[in-house]
Amino acid sequence: MEHCDFEEYHKDEEFPPPLPRLIWPKGEVRENGGHGTSRTKLLALRSGCYLIKCRLHDPDEPGGTVPYCGTLRNEVSAQGMVASGDLYLHKDLDPPVPSHGIPIFSIANYRYYLRATELTILDSEPDGFEVALECFSYRSRAWWRQERDFRALLRRLPAPPDFPSAEDYFQGELFDEDGNLTGEITMGWVSEMLRRASIDLGSVDSNVKSPPLTITHPRINEDIGWRDIFAAVGWDVSVRGPELRNGSSASGEEDDSSVEGKIWTSSELHAEFAKWRPAKSDLLDREWRYLLLCVPRLESSYRGLMFDTSIGGSGNRRPREGAALAANAKFEKERWGEKYGEKKLYQCPQLYFRTAIHELGHAMGLVHTAKQARHNGFMARLDDIRERYLKSERPGEDELLETLEWAFAPHDAWRLKHFPDYTVRPGGQPFNRKWKERLSRSHDTADGPEPRPSELPGPLHFRVRPSPGREIVPLGAPVRIELSLENNLKAPVIVSPLKLAAGHLTVGVVGPDGRARGVLPLIHGLEGDGDLLEPKGEDESKKRHSLTLLHGEDGPLFPMPGLYWIRIEWDGLLQIELDGLPQGESLRLQDRCPVLVQDANDEDHALAALDILSNPETLSVLAIGGSRFQAEDSINHTIKTSDVLRPHYQFIMVEYHIYLDSLEKLSDPNLKLTDETIMTVAETRRLSGYIMDKAKAAKEKSKSTEKTLSDLIKVLEANKEKLIAILDPKGKNQSQPRMNPRIAAS
């Protein structure tokens, strides 16, 4: 037998298949920010999971057909559509019940992965559209081959009575690339989520503590749980347990920190796992069900381990079904310092919670985030994050939790949403070396090269984070970001301004579709003077600025629901000579933060978001304010019709009317500023500046006008002080110069 090179043999195949990208209805022409027929029809396509049923013509039997069932995962926004799906052979089987939600199919019947590449809205069909689908068949060893392409011609029809939505049902025909009829298809909406799974939380001993199911988010001080984490990537996850193998509760109430417990090896884990999941069980054909097993300790001092990596590992030929956590694993004092050193994993509930999600991510087919990628999401190693944290020389160990991202990194979120079923469901793709190598090589590298390290003997600390309490925003709302630059030197320095308009900030946004979007300032060089940073520990050692982001170079920055990463780089100059440090020394610092954009919760919200996102003039309103207002209708309509978006845009209309001396319009209840009105510190200063400019003239007009402005000032000052108190809880650096109201504040 001749030698066959494996890579050469598979040269025409994909590993893994390409994921879908954002697509826009073909042939759409947008004029004057109008919606257009295509846009209206696009938004009528509901996001979520659809049950697919199709019959494809059998090439081996003339006139015969082969039945398939599966799911289509669809995400629709004002910017377009992203869709992927899977097909399973469905001969002689009972059809899924749509009212039961997202269906689960036998893994042995898995056949094809689908991704949508083109969408055409049909003028000839009132409720019709055509979608181009690439079809990949699963081969051996995680190789996929593009078998055929389809064009599905679909029409909206009333759904059969067992579907949860009567209006979101489509029926049509499938055609090949040459236009030949090759099958029939139906698809009906079954869930707002994209996938469904359950997690069994088990323990080998009643004294082994399980990870918490909820924790308090370190930055927003709100509870988040496992369901919240996975819902953000479209997974409907339920958690059972903690339980012992005999079904009794594993509460682990005793707290004897001196007990180390048994060290479990991989072989022992496999043997224990086989007792929980019998080899002949058909459980995974009925449910995507993962097992997270809690033990005292693991070999090699692991805190967690996804041990069920390959076929046959646990004797049941179902890889990625289980993972283990070491409740009593210790944090080394030399690496983790006084706060965490010598503590056990269960004694650090937030880190225990994070480790559990990390191991579940492996069970769902995800690999470690590359160390150089600098993503602090769930799939980044805690030790890598700790190492970067120590090198950053950030003051105080308490800030470590704030550097962690309590969400999946964008590339991992995209995979959890749109990878083939076979690569994420338990019992599918083995978690072998080749799979991990391929995924690691394809990790998102949007962070770019590392900044050149400063030669200064002490760092300037640059930090980027969402405005307090605004880590989660509704679709259509601007994202508000707070920046700070702190002097950790023992001498004062003057540095380039921390403002987008000054040309020293570079802003990039990576969305859930993996696309990088850039931001350019509308005004350059308005601030020529530098910022004075007093020595460390003194007042004015820190400067702050705010950015309000909505539109970028190529359109909306946040066009769809999902997780976004905002990366900001400050590239400035040292503008004062210090001992041994030349004036003009170049500094380059960067930081990043996540923001979660939630989908519209009703029709009014969806239409208002569409109006805002499709009008590029809102960019100039947010960035400059004042009379540069060519989006009045869109924003005014949003304030009046959407309770969700109103607080995010109220201040803009108030600012507009104050600038134009239309103070009588502020009597509108929709324009009443309260402590619920959402603004950054910079926005409050900008609006305060406009009010101050009008104050003298107001005294000459009427007492009522003067009182209106006075009341506004009180609200603005209260909001500003509340924000500053959150941003600077130690009470320092609160003295801030008032910005020129004619200069871009965001």
Side-chain angles (χ1 to χ4, degrees), residues 51-263:
L51 170 62
I52 301 175
K53 298 179 183 179
C54 67
R55 301 191 72 88
L56 300 180
H57 293 177
D58 189 346
D60 299 325
E61 183 181 342
T65 60
V66 181
Y68 295 91
C69 275
T71 58
L72 182 80
R73 298 170 293 277
N74 188 40
E75 295 183 277
V76 175
S77 71
Q79 279 297 103
M81 182 183 80
V82 180
S84 64
D86 301 273
L87 291 178
Y88 296 76
L89 185 64
H90 208 71
K91 282 185 177 180
D92 304 321
L93 298 173
D94 294 332
V97 180
S99 59
H100 291 176
I102 299 173
I104 304 296
F105 302 95
S106 172
I107 195 167
N109 292 329
Y110 187 85
R111 290 298 183 270
Y112 298 110
Y113 172 68
L114 307 173
R115 73 164 190 154
T117 58
E118 191 175 276
L119 178 68
T120 304
I121 302 298
L122 302 176
D123 293 335
S124 58
E125 296 281 351
D127 284 313
F129 64 94
E130 185 180 77
V131 59
L133 297 168
E134 290 182 349
C135 182
F136 298 83
S137 63
Y138 177 73
R139 318 293 283 184
S140 63
R141 305 186 189 183
W143 292 93
W144 302 72
R145 172 171 290 173
Q146 187 170 350
E147 293 286 346
R148 61 181 95 179
D149 292 343
F150 295 115
R151 302 195 73 85
L153 180 61
L154 295 164
R155 294 169 291 277
R156 189 188 297 269
L157 295 174
D162 53 351
F163 278 84
S165 173
E167 300 177 352
D168 300 294
Y169 182 85
F170 301 87
Q171 179 176 309
E173 298 81 34
L174 293 169
F175 298 88
D176 62 19
E177 292 177 298
D178 297 324
N180 300 312
L181 180 66
T182 188
E184 298 81 35
I185 184 172
T186 64
M187 54 180 276
W189 184 91
V190 292
S191 175
E192 293 180 350
M193 293 295 183
L194 304 178
R195 286 180 154 131
R196 174 167 63 91
S198 62
I199 299 165
D200 289 336
L201 186 56
S203 178
V204 298
D205 190 289
S206 61
N207 292 322
V208 176
K209 294 185 178 297
S210 300
L213 299 184
T214 61
I215 59 166
T216 300
H217 194 296
R219 289 195 292 271
I220 64 177
N221 200 33
E222 293 181 2
D223 287 346
I224 56 171
W226 294 23
R227 287 183 62 86
D228 304 314
I229 297 299
F230 287 105
V233 292
W235 283 54
D236 180 9
V237 168
S238 60
V239 182
R240 300 181 178 93
E243 293 179 347
L244 298 177
R245 182 161 30 98
N246 60 13
S248 61
S249 173
S251 58
E253 293 298 328
E254 298 180 16
D255 188 7
D256 185 356
S257 60
S258 64
V259 177
E260 298 290 341
K262 170 184 169 60
I263 296 177

Side-chain angles (χ1 to χ4, degrees), residues 394-410:
R394 295 185 178 184
E397 292 188 358
D398 289 344
E399 291 190 15
L400 173 64
L401 288 177
E402 296 188 17
T403 69
L404 301 176
E405 311 298 355
W406 300 90
F408 288 100

Side-chain angles (χ1 to χ4, degrees), residues 1 4 281 298 301 320 420 440-441 454 521 562 565 651 732:
M1 181 177 177
C4 177
S281 171
L298 294 167
S301 300
R320 292 186 299 99
S440 296
R441 274 184 240 156
S454 170
W565 289 88
F651 100 95
K732 294 183 178 182

Side-chain angles (χ1 to χ4, degrees), residues 306-449:
M306 209 288 285
F307 61 90
D308 190 24
T309 57
S310 60
I311 292 178
S314 293
N316 58 18
R317 302 189 60 81
R318 297 192 300 265
R320 292 186 299 99
E321 193 177 356
L325 299 173
N328 295 341
K330 282 188 176 181
F331 290 95
E332 306 91 339
K333 188 172 183 179
E334 181 178 349
R335 175 179 290 182
W336 288 86
E338 293 293 335
K339 181 175 177 62
Y340 301 102
E342 297 304 312
K343 282 190 175 182
K344 296 176 180 178
L345 182 58
Y346 79 84
Q347 294 172 324
C348 306
Q350 290 165 314
L351 298 184
Y352 199 7
F353 176 95
R354 192 182 191 283
T355 303
I357 301 296
H358 177 98
E359 297 306 327
L360 286 170
H362 286 319
M364 294 169 180
L366 301 180
V367 299
H368 284 138
T369 300
K371 189 173 182 179
Q372 64 271 20
R374 299 182 64 84
H375 286 299
N376 286 358
F378 282 122
M379 298 315 296
R381 297 179 181 91
L382 269 178
D383 291 316
D384 289 346
I385 298 173
R386 176 68 177 175
E387 182 181 337
R388 289 197 295 267
Y389 173 77
L390 292 176
K391 289 181 179 179
S392 71
E393 300 184 30
R394 295 185 178 184
E397 292 188 358
D398 289 344
E399 291 190 15
L400 173 64
L401 288 177
E402 296 188 17
T403 69
L404 301 176
E405 311 298 355
W406 300 90
F408 288 100
H411 55 271
D412 287 327
W414 199 243
R415 289 167 174 170
L416 288 173
K417 289 181 177 183
H418 292 290
F419 249 176
D421 278 358
Y422 198 81
T423 64
V424 296
R425 66 178 293 173
Q429 167 61 41
F431 201 70
N432 53 29
R433 179 182 60 83
K434 186 173 287 292
W435 174 257
K436 290 188 281 187
E437 287 178 355
R438 291 297 180 109
L439 285 196
S440 296
R441 274 184 240 156
S442 62
H443 260 154
D444 177 81
T445 55
D447 281 347

Side-chain angles (χ1 to χ4, degrees), residues 583-617:
Q583 182 175 344
E585 173 71 11
S586 178
L587 305 173
R588 184 183 174 200
L589 305 171
Q590 69 176 20
D591 198 13
R592 49 193 286 280
C593 67
V595 171
L596 182 65
V597 176
Q598 293 183 321
D599 204 354
N601 60 0
D602 57 41
E603 184 177 1
D604 288 340
H605 178 188
L607 291 175
L610 171 62
D611 208 10
I612 288 290
L613 294 175
S614 62
N615 191 338
E617 292 299 328

Side-chain angles (χ1 to χ4, degrees), residues 678-690:
I678 298 169
M679 293 178 282
T680 64
V681 175
E683 285 171 338
T684 60
R685 291 200 194 105
R686 189 174 80 196
L687 185 51
S688 296
Y690 291 136

